[in-house]
Amino acid sequence: MRYLFLFLASCLLAGPAYSEPVSLDGAIQTALLNNASVKEARSLQQSAREGVKKNRADFLPKASATYSYTRLNDAPFQRAGGVQRTVGDADNYHWDMTLVQPLFTGFGLSSRYGISKADAKISHLSLSQTVQDVIRDVKTAYYEALLAERIQKVAQDKVKTLAAQEKDAQGFFDHGVIPKNDLLKSKIALAAAIQEKEKARADVLMARSRLAVIMGQPLDIKLSLTPVDTSITFTVPLKDLFSQALANRPELLILNQGLSKIETSVKAAQSAYYPDVSLVGRYEQNGDNPAATDNDFTNDSNTSVSVQASWTFFEWGKTRADTARARHEVRAFREKIKAAEDRVKLEVRQEVLNLGVQKKNIATAGKALEQARENFRITKNQYLQQVTTSTEVLDAQTYLAGAESDYYKALYGYMIARTRLDRAVGRKIGDGHLYSSRR
């Protein structure tokens, strides 16, 4: 029983075996839980949140305590009229507790708190950016793996077709209908197809491994992928895509938060122009014993409340230079945002064009596939009636395999292009597609 328990525990710790097919949504959810980049971004987000707590604590009072012991060689004394009188102990114990509440820091505390809040927002947006990147990568790898499986199926069908062709050629040759070189052409084509099939099999394994890595799973995990909806959608609201991208792209939102952070740093630099004012409360004990409770010469305890102000009003232009530097950084950052917005618009336009190209390629490849299938059917029948040669059949089969591969490449190329456009406009998971149409 103990061994059975250990076996089941090891299976659970080993992670999912994916005996059931993995859907695209399931792959995305697994990646969002296990991808190293997402985990890193979440940890950085937690770190930034702690930074906010740290700077918020600066507004609260700070308590401190000190304890000291001083041993004098001679007890303090005074002389009056030639008479010496002891006025203190040789052993002096002192302890105190101090409470300091900041009242005004020239907006320094509030500025640092604002900067930490901007850092927290940036870390949140960075996590969103990482999530969108991982979703894009998972979907792209998923489609590429499905494409590799399709190409493998085309290669397998090609081997079966050429094996049948080689068998027919062998029969014709045995009956003296065709010359030997026609038979050899069929055998050579079959051998080449078998090599293509092996390469296609390796490509499938590699594509699945790439997907597994993005999902945060072992390289050798067995993934069984569920087919996806490959309906063609292409009603794209072009007039809205730019505005959606500018409003949703995490990269631009991060830059805007960065601008807010730098603008706050201007206030932080200007805080040096003002004094720091604090309310200070203090309790102290002085005595000749370790508890500082015995004092024969003065009161053993005292309490005080005071307002303290410190002001460095001249630093040879350092504060003015810091303020000017921060303002220059603000202007530079605004230009950086404009350049980033232009790049985002260009990226969106590029992905829209790519999507249009892939849609047209699907239509062209679909017609070519229909023609290739009909051409192969006609050529095969002609060969069986011996009104054409093996070369024509082999060429027709090559055209057919190429047309099938081109069609699936265009189809999954469209899916990948749509995924990239989703990312370009900052689409979040669960938003639904930006496009609608029917195949």
Side-chain angles (χ1 to χ4, degrees), residues 31 40 64 75 95 139 148 190 195 266 294 323 361 404 411 438:
E40 177 188 0
S64 62
W95 65 268
K139 294 175 75 173
L190 177 59
Q195 295 179 41
V266 175
D294 295 333
T323 303
N361 286 345
E404 288 180 334
L411 182 62
R438 293 180 178 82

Side-chain angles (χ1 to χ4, degrees), residues 1 47 126 135 175 332 354 372 428:
M1 188 69 182
S47 174
S126 295
I135 292 173
H175 289 83
N354 288 340
K428 301 179 180 64

Side-chain angles (χ1 to χ4, degrees), residues 59-343:
F59 291 100
L60 303 176
K62 295 177 176 59
S64 62
T66 61
Y67 185 91
S68 66
Y69 165 70
T70 303
R71 170 66 182 178
L72 301 176
N73 187 47
D74 298 311
F77 63 87
Q78 290 181 344
R79 286 190 179 93
V83 178
Q84 179 174 308
R85 183 166 59 91
T86 302
V87 296
D89 296 309
D91 294 304
N92 294 274
Y93 293 87
H94 169 87
W95 65 268
D96 66 68
M97 295 185 64
T98 304
L99 197 65
V100 179
Q101 172 63 58
L103 298 179
F104 179 71
T105 61
F107 311 106
L109 288 182
S110 59
S111 296
R112 287 192 291 272
Y113 180 60
I115 290 173
S116 66
K117 289 179 67 176
D119 284 335
K121 291 180 181 178
I122 289 173
S123 68
H124 175 74
L125 292 169
S126 295
L127 173 59
S128 177
Q129 177 181 351
T130 301
V131 166
Q132 290 189 27
D133 288 341
V134 168
I135 292 173
R136 176 201 59 200
D137 293 344
V138 168
K139 294 175 75 173
T140 299
Y142 198 95
Y143 294 144
E144 289 176 344
L146 290 177
L147 173 59
E149 291 177 357
R150 287 286 194 174
I151 298 299
Q152 182 185 33
K153 181 65 168 56
V154 170
Q156 292 170 345
D157 291 343
K158 184 176 181 180
V159 169
K160 292 179 181 178
T161 301
L162 290 179
Q165 170 63 20
E166 189 266 348
K167 182 178 180 181
D168 291 338
Q170 185 69 53
F172 285 137
F173 174 75
D174 292 340
H175 289 83
V177 177
I178 62 173
K180 187 175 183 179
N181 64 322
D182 270 7
L183 174 62
L184 294 177
K185 290 178 182 178
S186 298
K187 290 182 178 293
I188 293 171
L190 177 59
I194 292 174
Q195 295 179 41
E196 291 178 7
K197 185 184 73 171
E198 289 303 311
K199 183 180 182 304
R201 186 183 70 85
D203 290 342
V204 169
L205 294 176
M206 192 63 200
R208 290 174 179 172
S209 295
R210 283 195 294 269
L211 177 60
V213 168
I214 300 172
M215 292 170 60
Q217 302 301 311
L219 274 174
D220 56 351
I221 192 171
K222 294 181 179 180
L223 294 176
S224 176
L225 307 184
T226 302
V228 297
D229 178 18
T230 56
S231 58
I232 307 304
T233 57
F234 199 65
T235 302
V236 183
L238 290 176
K239 62 180 180 180
D240 297 330
L241 290 184
F242 286 155
S243 59
Q244 289 179 19
L246 295 180
N248 298 329
R249 281 288 289 266
E251 298 92 328
L252 297 180
L253 299 177
I254 288 172
L255 288 175
N256 286 323
Q257 282 299 322
L259 176 61
S260 175
K261 178 179 175 181
I262 295 178
E263 288 174 342
T264 305
S265 70
V266 175
K267 292 184 179 180
Q270 290 174 332
S271 66
Y273 285 124
Y274 305 96
D276 289 340
V277 182
S278 301
L279 179 67
V280 181
R282 182 184 178 90
Y283 175 82
E284 62 180 353
Q285 288 271 161
N286 294 281
D288 60 1
N289 63 326
T293 55
D294 295 333
N295 195 321
D296 297 330
F297 302 96
T298 185
N299 53 322
D300 57 6
S301 64
N302 210 339
T303 302
S304 64
V305 177
S306 62
V307 176
Q308 294 182 356
S310 62
W311 188 16
T312 303
F313 55 84
F314 185 68
E315 289 187 301
W316 298 99
K318 177 182 176 182
T319 302
R320 183 173 63 254
D322 281 345
T323 303
R325 175 188 56 80
R327 285 174 175 163
H328 286 304
E329 288 182 353
V330 168
R331 286 193 288 269
F333 214 86
R334 285 173 178 161
E335 296 302 322
K336 183 177 183 179
I337 291 176
K338 290 180 181 178
E341 289 175 346
D342 289 339
R343 287 195 300 271

